[in-house]
Amino acid sequence: MKIDTVCVQGCKDKLNSTGAISVPIYQSATFAHPGVNQSTGYDYSRLQNPTREAVENIVASLENGTQALAFSTGMAAISALMELFKIGDHIIASDDLYGGSIRLYHHISKKNGLKIDFANMSDISALKNKITKDTRAIFIETPTNPMMNVADIAAIKDMIKDKGILLIVDNTFLTPYFQQPLSLGADIVMHSGTKFLGGHNDTLAGFLVTSNKELAESLRFIHKTTGACLSPFDSFLMIRGIKTLAIRMEKAQENAIELANWLLKQKKVTAVHYIGLKSHPDFELSKKQARGFGSMITFEVASEQIAHQILEKVKLILFAESLGGVETLITYPMLQTHADVPQNEREARGINERLLRISVGIENIDDIISDIKQAME
Ligand SMILES: *Cc1c(COP(=O)(O)O)cnc(C)c1O
């Protein structure tokens, strides 16, 4: 089956005896046992729930993994992931990263005794120099949020192979529809399902996917023990969102390519970071490791005043945090997603008062462009 078919038809309720087309919401906290030492396969919904199992199975198959775990949010998934490590373990993360992940590393992981370092993942030799005998994992986002740097997943894997270091990829921006990190050598894929997988700005969710049996068992143990699992209703909404993943990703990307090219021509725009532009330094690498470029654009305008004006004057486009939904959203990374990143770090990465990020939706592109045009005038 091709991936767009999997999105639509890949999710089945294995208990179905009614012919229902959609997976039911098994809104039950607990399950009755047929007898002593007997189980239907379901005991208590923190351990297993049929609706959650259905969404886990489809996310695993989309990512070419054998197992997926569904969490209540993306951050819950990363927090659970960190439970794989112990005091003194060293983790290297992308130096440009989702703000919430940076906050977790700085304020929670360090307190728990992990040693956290950040590196530019586009520079493999610099990354190699940061590896120590205690390094246990490399955590990358590609493309990164918000600067859209791309890391070569296969090359990083090649560099760390036989070193006992896990390669973890946050695949939120491109989704398995465009990029499948496990097939490129990653050990674990992480998702904020809140974004493109759900796709409608109505549900929070997170996923971890792997095809390594031992890792899957450890993660499953952490999942059921720490308990941030996805509810049956939210699992249903994820399944429903994934059905249209392929057409949403295609349409949003088509819009993003047009918008990025339009932005390039505007006098008030001083830089456009979109991996689908030939001028992007990682355009060729993106073409090599992914089937598409996605729909996230970051751009810089000439002054702080223009940035504020755009945020205040947009009508159709919504000034809101988050991304990956059908609605076009514009974000001010400095004050929203990256507000907690120390100022010097933030500015060193190019996240300044002139930087805006757009998650391009699936509206008509003419409406999106005329809205941003009127807001910029
Ligand atoms: C949103 C996001 C997260 C966090 O996910 P939540 O569902 O908001 O907890 C992690 N990584 C990336 C790239 C994100 O965009």
Side-chain angles (χ1 to χ4, degrees):
M1 261 199 286
K2 296 278 202 299
I3 194 162
D4 37 1
T5 310
V6 176
C7 288
V8 180
Q9 296 258 11
C11 204
K12 298 282 186 237
D13 171 24
K14 66 180 192 193
L15 309 173
N16 187 353
S17 58
T18 64
I21 302 292
S22 71
V23 178
I25 303 165
Y26 286 90
Q27 191 69 37
S28 187
T30 189
F31 298 83
H33 302 298
V36 176
N37 277 332
Q38 291 179 20
S39 167
T40 59
Y42 302 95
D43 302 310
Y44 185 66
S45 275
R46 174 156 40 73
L47 282 56
Q48 328 86 355
N49 175 280
T51 317
R52 192 169 69 235
E53 220 168 61
V55 73
E56 289 177 341
N57 289 340
I58 189 165
V59 172
S61 60
L62 289 173
E63 284 288 4
N64 281 335
T66 50
Q67 280 236 36
L69 294 153
F71 293 85
S72 52
T73 67
M75 290 319 300
I78 304 181
S79 305
L81 186 57
M82 289 302 115
E83 297 297 333
L84 284 175
F85 306 107
K86 59 179 195 318
I87 292 178
D89 283 354
H90 178 236
I91 292 166
I92 310 172
S94 302
D95 63 358
D96 186 45
L97 206 58
Y98 175 70
S101 306
I102 300 174
R103 185 168 58 211
L104 178 90
Y105 286 135
H106 275 310
H107 298 285
I108 311 278
S109 305
K110 283 185 183 169
K111 165 183 74 70
N112 291 344
L114 303 184
K115 289 187 275 184
I116 309 287
D117 244 329
F118 297 93
N120 174 355
M121 298 293 173
S122 308
D123 182 347
I124 303 232
S125 59
L127 172 62
K128 196 172 176 183
N129 287 334
K130 295 217 166 178
I131 292 176
T132 72
K133 65 176 188 356
D134 295 323
T135 307
R136 293 289 169 268
I138 291 179
F139 182 97
I140 64 176
E141 255 177 46
T142 183
T144 61
N145 182 4
M147 297 312 291
M148 308 295 155
N149 304 318
V150 179
D152 189 331
I153 300 171
I156 294 177
K157 180 62 184 186
D158 197 50
M159 191 264 291
I160 59 174
K161 71 167 183 282
D162 310 324
K163 287 195 165 85
I165 300 172
L166 295 177
L167 179 57
I168 302 161
V169 179
D170 181 336
N171 201 29
T172 300
F173 273 26
L174 289 184
T175 82
Y177 183 69
F178 283 141
Q179 173 170 278
Q180 292 166 312
L182 295 180
S183 307
L184 296 165
D187 299 287
I188 299 173
V189 164
M190 177 265 149
H191 272 282
S192 168
T194 312
K195 316 296 168 54
F196 291 98
L197 292 179
H200 292 76
N201 290 319
D202 58 7
T203 319
L204 300 174
F207 294 94
L208 295 177
V209 196
T210 183
S211 35
N212 174 316
K213 196 159 174 276
E214 250 171 71
L215 273 178
E217 273 170 27
S218 307
L219 291 169
R220 179 73 62 190
F221 179 82
I222 296 165
H223 188 237
K224 75 173 183 190
T225 305
T226 57
C229 26
L230 195 63
S231 77
F233 182 61
D234 290 348
S235 299
F236 169 85
L237 287 173
M238 279 291 129
I239 295 169
R240 184 183 160 105
I242 288 169
K243 290 192 185 195
T244 56
L245 179 68
I247 51 166
R248 285 188 288 103
M249 293 303 287
E250 291 287 355
K251 169 76 177 174
Q253 167 171 265
E254 190 187 305
N255 282 350
I257 291 172
E258 263 201 59
L259 179 61
N261 281 296
W262 182 84
L263 285 168
L264 270 185
K265 288 183 258 158
Q266 306 311 306
K267 273 205 214 70
K268 289 176 182 167
V269 175
T270 47
V272 182
H273 307 287
Y274 177 59
I275 59 170
L277 287 175
K278 284 207 182 69
S279 55
H280 191 286
D282 300 317
F283 178 74
E284 290 302 328
L285 171 59
S286 298
K287 265 197 353 199
K288 189 185 83 177
Q289 75 177 3
R291 291 198 314 114
F293 306 111
S295 49
M296 296 302 298
I297 303 176
T298 300
F299 66 104
E300 205 182 86
V301 291
S303 69
E304 179 174 16
Q305 182 267 323
I306 299 170
H308 286 202
Q309 180 188 318
I310 292 172
L311 293 168
E312 278 162 11
K313 280 182 67 185
V314 282
K315 294 185 189 131
L316 178 84
I317 299 171
L318 301 154
F319 172 25
E321 240 169 284
S322 204
L323 59 111
V326 289
E327 297 89 0
T328 299
L329 303 185
I330 191 161
T331 307
Y332 201 26
M334 184 183 87
L335 291 187
Q336 295 178 295
T337 52
H338 289 68
D340 283 350
V341 180
Q343 185 183 356
N344 55 341
E345 256 181 58
R346 189 162 46 67
E347 281 174 5
R349 292 175 200 163
I351 306 170
N352 58 36
E353 67 292 342
R354 291 173 292 119
L355 196 78
L356 297 167
R357 190 193 74 188
I358 289 196
S359 168
V360 186
I362 65 168
E363 303 93 337
N364 188 291
I365 186 61
D366 297 342
D367 291 328
I368 297 172
I369 289 178
S370 46
D371 191 36
I372 194 146
K373 183 163 183 251
Q374 66 78 27
M376 224 186 264
E377 267 160 10

